[in-house]
Amino acid sequence: MGFTELLVDGIYGELPDKAKTTVARVHANGRHLLGLINDVLDLSKIEAGQLTLAIEDYSVAQIVRLTVTAVEPLARAKRRRVLAALGTGPPPTREPV
């Protein structure tokens, strides 16, 4: 992941735009895989009773953007498009029935 970051930053010379986009996607997918590995490690900690929870804010819009970025190459290979529409506020809540 460190080398992809260096490539995108132009440390080894300027990359063509297409290559820069691809390397940025490789970096984003590497971060995603690291997140999955950390999730598996967290599950191990839960099973061992050693997990400490930390409550944090997150951006649903950012999660959607990262997901679309990760899925786009697969969709393109099958001649499909991935579209995501995000609202500007919190989702509506439903009243209990």
Side-chain angles (χ1 to χ4, degrees), residues 16-66:
D17 287 340
K18 190 173 183 179
K20 189 180 267 191
T21 301
T22 301
V23 172
R25 186 173 290 129
V26 168
H27 181 71
N29 287 336
R31 288 180 48 209
H32 176 71
L33 288 174
L34 180 60
L36 291 174
I37 291 167
N38 286 331
D39 290 345
V40 169
L41 292 173
D42 286 344
L43 287 173
S44 297
K45 287 180 183 179
I46 289 170
E47 289 176 355
Q50 298 177 348
L51 181 69
T52 304
L53 294 179
I55 298 173
E56 297 179 11
D57 292 333
Y58 62 93
S59 167
V60 173
Q62 171 119 7
I63 292 169
V64 171
R65 279 192 292 274
L66 288 172

Side-chain angles (χ1 to χ4, degrees), residues 62-83:
Q62 171 119 7
I63 292 169
V64 171
R65 279 192 292 274
L66 288 172
T67 302
V68 168
T69 300
V71 172
E72 273 179 330
L74 300 171
R76 197 176 16 247
K78 295 185 182 245
R79 297 183 187 181
R80 301 283 188 236
R81 289 189 321 168
V82 177
L83 301 174

